[in-house]
Amino acid sequence: MDELKALPKIDLHCHLDGSLSKQFIESCLNKSIDSNDLTAPFDCASLAEYLTKFDIPVSCIQTKENLKNAVLDLIKQAKEDNIKYIEIRFAPTLSLNPDLSYRDIYEGVIEGSRDGLKQYGIYSNIIICAMRHHTSEQNLAMLKSGREYLGSGVCALDLAGDEAGFSNELFSYLFEEASRLDMPFTVHSGECRNVNNIRIAVEAGAKRIGHGICLGNDKELMRLCKEKHIGFELCPTSNYQTKAVKPGEAYPLRDFLDCGIAATVNTDNRTVSNTSMSREYEFITEKLNIAKDELIQLYKNSIELSFANDDIKNILFKEIRA
């Protein structure tokens, strides 16, 4: 484990609310919290059950100061995990309240990101999430306000939430507006075994797919994703918890790499899944037939697929040349 922890890492799929430390949450709420209220069991019945663990942490990011400190809390964890770059995603609308505007929300998380670089030397960017259960008016307002910060701390858009209840075909308006605004986007797709959601996202212009576990069920789509160099943000621990991969089923990472699919490995939710990048590396090397030298390829994939600018990408490449 020490050898894996020493490797440089990149996390492209990490939710802020699902990754807040227990200590941070308790300091915000000024009371003790049972770890079981924050961490999902490994044998979750579904993604919907997994998502119930987000209510408490979301209540902790309802002020500008807490948003800044939440990002710092996550970047501190990233430092301990030897992560060199992290894309932190969150849903701004879940923090919107009468005392907190979108401008306050964005400035809070961006300030935390910048302070994280100063204090811990970790590069980061923010991905803003539209939510499947929100109205089109809510999602478009969030997107348009966030677009003002593209390149200044915000790097992309995401669509998250209950995929089984709200398929991608309902969000053409969001993908079209993101394209019109030149806002790059990734989309949670194929986590709930609906391969058509992956196709819709790719055809709409998504640069990356969050999870995409069931891609192998459609060989034609698999070839298309390879040709387009679509990135796949795999999160092994989370994928088993949410039953995106059922017990006894083969995890697709090995097949993705062998077929030339641009795959990455990420944490998804460090606290909810009780994981870290080092633990994910340990899992894939011990259980998924991933050789340790292939971890370097995963790191390179993450650099290439990241929404970071070229200067940051060059710095990240140097980490593996040293």
Side-chain angles (χ1 to χ4, degrees), residues 246-312:
K246 294 187 176 180
E249 287 185 338
Y251 194 78
L253 177 59
R254 176 78 272 159
D255 284 347
F256 280 12
L257 292 177
D258 290 346
C259 293
I261 297 294
T264 66
V265 169
N266 312 276
T267 59
D268 201 7
N269 298 285
R270 297 175 67 95
T271 302
V272 175
S273 289
N274 190 27
T275 193
S276 66
M277 281 298 297
S278 297
R279 289 179 180 174
E280 297 297 329
Y281 275 13
E282 182 179 37
F283 181 81
I284 65 175
T285 54
E286 292 186 358
K287 305 294 185 182
L288 302 182
N289 193 31
I290 303 300
K292 290 185 178 178
D293 60 356
E294 290 180 292
L295 299 178
I296 299 300
Q297 184 58 53
L298 288 170
Y299 180 87
K300 290 179 180 178
N301 287 352
S302 294
I303 297 174
E304 293 170 358
L305 295 167
S306 75
F307 294 118
N309 62 40
D310 288 343
D311 289 341
I312 292 177

Side-chain angles (χ1 to χ4, degrees), residues 179-245:
S179 297
R180 189 185 73 80
L181 294 173
D182 291 324
M183 184 77 158
F185 59 94
T186 178
V187 183
H188 280 70
S189 303
E191 190 179 10
C192 293
R193 313 179 77 81
N194 184 345
V195 72
N196 191 50
N197 275 343
I198 301 175
R199 181 178 294 278
I200 291 171
V202 171
E203 292 178 347
K207 304 300 183 185
R208 299 194 326 230
I209 298 296
H211 306 296
I213 294 301
C214 62
L215 175 67
N217 295 339
D218 188 328
K219 300 305 180 184
E220 178 189 349
L221 181 57
M222 203 169 184
R223 287 192 294 271
L224 178 64
C225 289
K226 179 180 177 180
E227 291 171 4
K228 288 181 169 289
H229 197 60
I230 302 298
F232 281 76
E233 309 157 357
L234 300 181
C235 308
T237 299
S238 168
N239 295 152
Y240 277 103
Q241 281 181 299
T242 64
K243 299 300 183 291
V245 179

Side-chain angles (χ1 to χ4, degrees), residues 74-133:
L74 178 47
I75 293 176
K76 179 182 178 182
Q77 296 177 61
K79 175 69 174 180
E80 295 166 354
D81 205 17
N82 204 26
I83 290 173
K84 303 301 180 181
Y85 172 75
I86 183 169
E87 290 181 354
I88 302 170
R89 62 186 71 193
F90 83 118
T93 305
L94 296 180
S95 295
L96 193 66
N97 62 62
D99 299 316
L100 195 66
S101 66
Y102 275 128
R103 180 172 296 278
D104 292 332
I105 291 168
Y106 292 121
E107 291 180 355
V109 292
I110 291 170
E111 186 177 343
S113 175
R114 290 173 178 168
D115 286 354
L117 178 59
K118 294 176 184 175
Q119 294 184 33
Y120 301 109
I122 307 297
Y123 291 95
S124 64
N125 267 312
I126 304 296
I127 296 176
I128 56 175
C129 297
M131 297 302 294
R132 294 179 185 272
H133 67 283

Side-chain angles (χ1 to χ4, degrees), residues 39-55:
T39 302
F42 194 76
D43 59 348
C44 270
S46 65
L47 174 61
E49 179 185 349
Y50 184 85
L51 293 176
T52 63
K53 299 298 179 178
F54 290 79
D55 293 343

